[in-house]
Amino acid sequence: MTMSFEHIFAKHLLAVIQAYHPEFEGDVDLVASWVEAPKDRELGDLAFPCFRLAKPLRKPPAVIAAALIDGLRDVVDSEPMIAEVSQVGPYLNARINRAGQAKSLIPQIMDGSFTKPRARIDHRVMIEYSQPNTHKAFHVGHMRNVALGDALVRIYRWCGFPVVAANYIGDVGTHIAKCLWYLERHFSGEIPEQHRGEFLGTLYFKATELLDFDLLTRCPLLGVHVAQVMEKDQHPSRPEWTVVTLDLGHETCLVVCGGTGFEVGDRVAYASLGSRVGGRVIERVDKDGVLSEGMILSGAELGLNDNREAVFVLEPTISVGTPIADVFARKPNENVAGTMQQRLNEVSETLKRLESGEPEITALWQKTKQWSMDEFYEIYQWLDCHFDHFFFESDVGDEGKAMVEEYLQKGVLVRSQGTVGAELEGLPFLMLLKSDGTGLYATKDLALARRKFDEFGIDESIYVVDVSQSLHFQQVFKTLELMGFEQAKQCYHLAYGLVVLRDGKMSSRAGNVILFSQLRELLDQRIKSEFLEKYRGDWSDREIDDAAHAIAIATIKYGMLNQDHNRMIVFDLEEWTSQTGNTGPYLMYAYARTQSILKKVGTWDVLSADYTLLSHEAEGQLIDQLGRFQDVVASTREGHRPRELCAYLYDLARAFSRMFDQCSVLRADTVPLKAARANLVRATGEILATGLHLLGIPPLERM
RNA sequence: GCGCUCGUAGCUCAGCUGGAUAGAGCAACGGAUUCCUAAUCCGUAGGUCAGGGGUUCGAAUCCCUUCGGGCGCACCA
């Protein structure tokens, strides 16, 4: 491995600095870390800002620079890798000897030693990504995760890490109960032969629609009924409260009320014990000596107006005992509360059957789950993403609960308000067992983590999951640490922002998701009609199909990757299907042009190429860019930022496009120049292809 | 209320550990094809880096604060 230019420059700088000021403390690495790229490439390739030395040397930066430049010039005469140095104000700039660089770099690229994966490192990494839910639609939002996870797997592997690419399928939960409930009770059509996974997603969407109380009533509350105020007394100790006796129709009850604006005889909305209002369960509470059995609701609490102070008074004609949801039903005289209650009961019944392993529903679950899985496999295949292992939520549920019991015994976990969970320093309580004894999402994550550590022997664990779960993972990792797992400190949540649409967040309820199949179809059409139709007849249909596929992958993956991961992506279908400029296809196009040249240029002598002939500015920039590849990949991996590699490859493709424009290979003035350029082009193609591969994008020989 | 995150050109975004004149793409305008693929290249125009303080020789970058978006915060996953 050759020494980087930064280090070569730093080595000479250090020698000169120490000759000038022997008391200077610092090593080559420190000085090298100060070396940067000049703002303007006209100034050189490397820059050293002497501001760094102003304090230790106690002299103005420009004076230091002026004092060092002569010494530096002397040294550089004997350094073949640096062509010249110069001083501009407080900066010392160096120009790299491009020919020298090219001479060592290009052969390395061409014999494959520069682009092949790095030496194996003894540090096992698991990268968990995708994690789709079965029985739900796979849409563009899921694709950001897949693009990120897959790119990281490839990049880690290139850097020498043994990687286990893992998926974690969400195959249990209420969403499945809803889907199967709809299938059993409400679906009356034919089950399609194709796209059965998306079909299940449609069923799930229809189920949520049926279960969306908002669609039935303006006041979507269960357990809230019309009651009449019978008596109204002042609270014995709190004058701002009143003690109200309510007639519920079949019985009466006592409620302590803080609201105002109602009289004896008024009809009000009464939330009974056990009902939920604003996400809170109504419980019997001791209100300063008086037991309050329920709650009288304000307009705000009912969601009907903004008034939080005044009790909402209903028309006197409405009979006592009517569910409040029926009063505000969107279609008059409908028993919406009863309907909704029945649906909810049915769903919860389905969930219980699933959880208890009732044979009939279990068989249906397994069959439909396979429909989803078949579709996922097809999508991964299309995207060229591969997993070494699939975990299933249904496999870790019991294990998670057992684990919680175990660590409760050990005293690591605690009981709290009927639940079991982890008390974490600086973080909110993490609940692991609900008061009914069932586990939660986090419970399964603990068991999953233990499996990763024990069965796969991994040293580092990366979770590619969207940013809304940041707190969740902080809590889970902290809990694992509390449980004594060493690897907990090597767990990393790679958070990324959601993919949203121009008119807002994607939501299955509003029906504004873009399905994977839709995107694939649209991209295919657009790519063919705009770019590939012109080759019809010239290329085989098969090649056109394959090219469209590859370009579609490039469009999606690069689009998803070339944005800082903690930022939202605003997805506009129109834009994405007709992009030019900084895109995946731009990189592929640059690669295709390299291959086009190489096909036409014929044979040439690799070894005898004289790289001193590559003196054009565009060629120099390109060589410089090629040399950065390894450092960029390493840095991309370290920062978990595929975007960095995207940016590099874009710069590389741009440098090549300029060179292509300004320096013709086929029409080079001399044969040696042609040979040198051909090698440069071939090296560029190699780096582009390797880089594209690391992003999960297949290069095309022509497009 | 607490926490995380974002605010940079008309739009979408880069700008890594502070460094020289803040950069791309799209859109706009003007050029380049007898010449290796015009999915390209070159040029012009476009900025109070949300506002205000502070640290520093130097701040889009670090600290504090205000404003404004997004997302989380105990029985969902």
Side-chain angles (χ1 to χ4, degrees), chain A residues 84 140 182 324 341 483 554 619 689:
Chain A
E84 61 166 310
V140 284
Y182 188 90
I324 198 77
Q341 191 61 60
M483 291 174 159
E619 292 163 334

Side-chain angles (χ1 to χ4, degrees), chain A residues 402-461:
Chain A
M403 202 170 156
V404 171
E405 296 293 352
E406 181 190 336
Y407 282 88
L408 179 63
Q409 296 292 316
K410 289 184 182 170
V412 175
L413 302 176
V414 297
R415 289 186 191 282
S416 167
Q417 296 175 35
T419 73
V420 178
E423 205 67 70
L424 305 167
E425 201 185 317
L427 290 171
F429 179 75
L430 177 65
M431 191 186 292
L432 293 166
L433 290 182
K434 297 195 268 185
S435 44
D436 64 3
T438 56
L440 293 102
Y441 187 53
T443 319
K444 294 172 200 154
D445 258 340
L446 294 177
L448 181 65
R450 186 166 70 179
R451 279 202 187 187
K452 289 179 178 179
F453 300 151
D454 293 352
E455 291 176 23
F456 292 85
I458 56 164
D459 303 296
E460 186 180 339
S461 193

Side-chain angles (χ1 to χ4, degrees), chain A residues 470-582:
Chain A
S470 299
L471 178 60
H472 165 81
F473 281 112
Q474 278 183 53
Q475 291 173 306
V476 168
F477 297 159
K478 190 86 177 176
T479 305
L480 288 168
E481 202 180 317
L482 224 57
M483 291 174 159
F485 292 99
E486 290 291 321
Q487 303 95 323
K489 290 192 182 81
Q490 293 295 316
C491 285
Y492 178 75
H493 172 213
L494 179 67
Y496 62 88
L498 282 178
V499 178
V500 300
L501 301 176
R502 197 160 281 286
D503 47 327
K505 195 174 163 177
M506 269 188 268
S507 112
S508 48
R509 192 173 128 193
N512 63 343
V513 292
I514 297 174
L515 295 176
F516 172 78
S517 60
Q518 293 174 319
L519 178 67
R520 177 167 61 175
E521 195 54 40
L522 267 157
L523 279 171
D524 190 67
Q525 282 171 19
R526 289 294 288 263
I527 289 163
K528 280 179 179 162
S529 68
E530 282 191 30
F531 301 112
L532 296 174
E533 275 313 322
K534 61 188 172 201
Y535 302 127
R536 187 76 69 184
D538 189 9
W539 296 13
S540 71
D541 287 356
R542 172 67 188 274
E543 188 178 357
I544 288 179
D545 286 346
D546 289 348
H549 179 188
I551 293 165
I553 290 178
T555 302
I556 297 171
K557 289 191 180 174
Y558 189 84
M560 293 294 177
L561 294 174
N562 190 32
Q563 169 123 268
D564 194 279
H565 54 246
N566 53 18
R567 211 173 162 125
M568 274 187 341
I569 289 182
V570 180
F571 187 89
D572 185 281
L573 192 60
E574 188 59 28
E575 263 179 34
W576 277 59
T577 48
S578 63
Q579 272 184 345
T580 57
N582 187 353

Side-chain angles (χ1 to χ4, degrees), chain A residues 21 23 28 69 74 85 122 160 216 229 235 274 391 461 475 504 556:
Chain A
H21 265 266
E23 74 277 16
V28 180
I69 185 63
D74 292 343
V85 289
D122 185 24
L216 295 177
V229 178
H235 189 280
F391 294 104
S461 193
Q475 291 173 306
I556 297 171

Side-chain angles (χ1 to χ4, degrees), chain A residues 30 44 125 133-135 188 209 216 243 253 264 285 315 337 400 404 538 600 606 624 654 664 674 698:
Chain A
L30 178 72
V125 181
N133 284 328
T134 63
H135 304 76
S188 57
E209 226 175 16
L216 295 177
V243 179
C253 78
V264 171
V285 281
E315 295 293 322
V404 171
D538 189 9
K600 290 176 183 168
V606 173
D624 175 49
R654 211 152 61 109
S664 179
K674 184 170 169 179

